Every structure is written in C-alpha cells, then in structure tokens.
Amino acid sequence: NAGVTQTPKFQVLKTGQSMTLQCAQDMNHNSMYWYRQDPGMGLRLIYYSASEGTTDKGEVPNGYNVSRLNKREFSLRLESAAPSQTSVYFCASSDGGTLTDTQYFGPGTRLTVL
Amino acid sequence: QKEVEQDPGPLSVPEGAIVSLNCTYSNSAFQYFMWYRQYSRKGPELLMYTYSSGNKEDGRFTAQVDKSSKYISLFIRDSQPSDSATYLCAMSDPGSARQLTFGSGTQLTVLP
C-alpha cells in the first residue's frame, strides 16, 4: 500500500497563476484533509471532507477550493496564487468513524509563490 | 495568543538521555491529546494519543496530560539518534468536527 500520495512534490508559481494539488489514498478511508504548515505556525486545516460528496471549511480556507473527486481523491486548487500561500501542503486521511481516528499524512507539496 | 503553545527548540541531547517535550493550551474543551513525530521533509506520523488526564506508556515513550494545568508532556527514555525529528502536539474537542489544533513543533536532535 502506498498510503497517502501527493503530487507534485515541489512547485514554483508566479503571483496570479493557478494550480491544483492532487492527493490520493489507498486505505479506503472516508475522511480526507488538507493542511498547510508554516514556520512557527504548526499545521493549520484548510478544508476537510468527512465523506465522499461532502467538504467543509477549516481554519484557513480563504484563497482555496477543494474537490472530493471520489473516495480516493481529494484535490486542492489555488485559483490565483499569492505569496502568502507559500507553504508546505499536507494531505491526510482517516477512517472517519470517530473523532480520535488516526490521521495518516502524505509526504507534502512544497509550494513557492513568487 | 495561540490556543496551543509549544517551545520550538531546537533541543539537542546526548544519546541515552531522557527527553521532555511540552505543550500548554488555553481551550478547556480539549479532551483528546496527540503527539506526532515528523522527520525532515516527511509528513507527520502519530506517535501516541491520550484521552483526558493521565499517563500513557508505549515502549520508550510516555505521554502525560494534566488538564487542571492545561499542560501535556511527552517523555522519551533512552533517546536514540533515530528519535531526531520535530515533535508536534495536537489536540481536539468533541465539538470540533475532527479539527485538530497543532502546536508549532519542537525540533529534537539526539547526538550519538
């Protein structure tokens, strides 16, 4: 099992460009999450999907959109990238049955917006 | 003020030392407390989780929660160079719909 995979691993964008970060999991998990990690800020939840067909905002959703394409895949889109969105983005998944479900993280995407 | 405060370090210890990592928090509704380990350029992985107050032990790792002081700790006994990583605390409350609040992480280096 690959677990949680993310593409691309690295990306450099210019201000105003758009891009989609892809995430897939092969653990048959119901819930999926997108986080960003910035120095001194810890991980902050951008959006999550409790189950296929549903998405909800997290702590820092502004400037992002998400799509739960199917049970396996959860994408994060930046429509018009800004330098403030320079960060490391992590996707995670969990079985979703209880609040204490273990979240399994992908390896991350390092995004730089110039 | 952040909801969860964690000393970022860096913390360097010799191999075999006992390591103490700590977080404080302000939200009294938090009931679930977790420690994640993150190796350089990798995603976080769950080490331990505890519910409410008390201790939990798993091998060389012990997690402690003191809800009265809003303080949680992770102890690592007989530390190894392979323990070198960033340690993140995380916590949640029953009403948060699976949202975890993370500390900023403490970077630990165990020197051989």
Side-chain angles (χ1 to χ4, degrees), chain B residues 32-101:
Chain B
Y32 302 97
F33 304 92
M34 287 143 274
W35 285 95
Y36 281 80
R37 178 174 61 196
Q38 185 175 19
Y39 291 115
S40 181
R41 302 209 168 250
K42 301 288 186 185
E45 57 180 344
L46 182 67
L47 259 184
M48 300 183 70
Y49 103 84
T50 55
Y51 171 71
S52 194
S53 287
N55 292 2
K56 185 173 183 178
E57 190 173 319
D58 184 2
R60 296 184 295 110
F61 297 89
T62 300
Q64 279 187 355
V65 175
D66 181 350
K67 289 191 71 181
S68 63
S69 301
K70 296 191 179 70
Y71 187 88
I72 70 171
S73 300
L74 177 71
F75 297 96
I76 307 174
R77 290 184 299 280
D78 187 25
S79 56
Q80 303 294 309
S82 58
D83 295 327
S84 298
T86 296
Y87 291 80
L88 301 154
C89 63
M91 42 201 83
S92 66
D93 70 76
S96 68
R98 302 185 184 85
Q99 294 195 40
L100 299 179
T101 301

Side-chain angles (χ1 to χ4, degrees), chain A:
Chain A
N1 286 355
V4 179
T5 57
Q6 293 183 236
T7 56
K9 288 188 170 51
F10 303 93
Q11 184 71 49
V12 178
L13 293 177
K14 294 181 180 177
T15 298
Q17 288 185 317
S18 62
M19 79 161 295
T20 300
L21 281 64
Q22 306 286 355
C23 174
Q25 51 91 8
D26 62 2
M27 295 175 281
N28 201 34
H29 283 166
N30 292 306
S31 300
M32 297 185 74
Y33 312 80
W34 275 106
Y35 292 89
R36 60 178 289 172
Q37 186 174 37
D38 303 292
M41 298 294 293
L43 285 154
R44 292 181 292 169
L45 184 66
I46 305 171
Y47 271 93
Y48 69 98
S49 171
S51 60
E52 187 178 353
T54 68
T55 60
D56 286 286
K57 295 178 181 178
E59 182 185 353
V60 289
N62 290 346
Y64 305 96
N65 285 303
V66 290
S67 295
R68 184 74 183 267
L69 304 170
N70 48 55
K71 192 171 185 179
R72 288 187 66 248
E73 298 171 289
F74 189 36
S75 63
L76 178 73
R77 182 159 179 85
L78 285 71
E79 290 290 352
S80 179
S84 60
Q85 294 178 305
T86 294
S87 188
V88 182
Y89 291 85
F90 288 100
C91 177
S93 71
S94 71
D95 191 46
T98 68
L99 187 60
T100 57
D101 281 341
T102 299
Q103 293 189 19
Y104 295 87
F105 285 79
T109 294
R110 282 159 180 78
L111 175 67
T112 301
V113 182
L114 302 175

Side-chain angles (χ1 to χ4, degrees), chain B residues 12-30:
Chain B
S12 291
V13 301
E15 184 175 354
I18 296 174
V19 176
S20 172
L21 304 168
N22 311 294
C23 288
T24 59
Y25 63 94
S26 57
N27 186 348
S28 58
F30 287 145

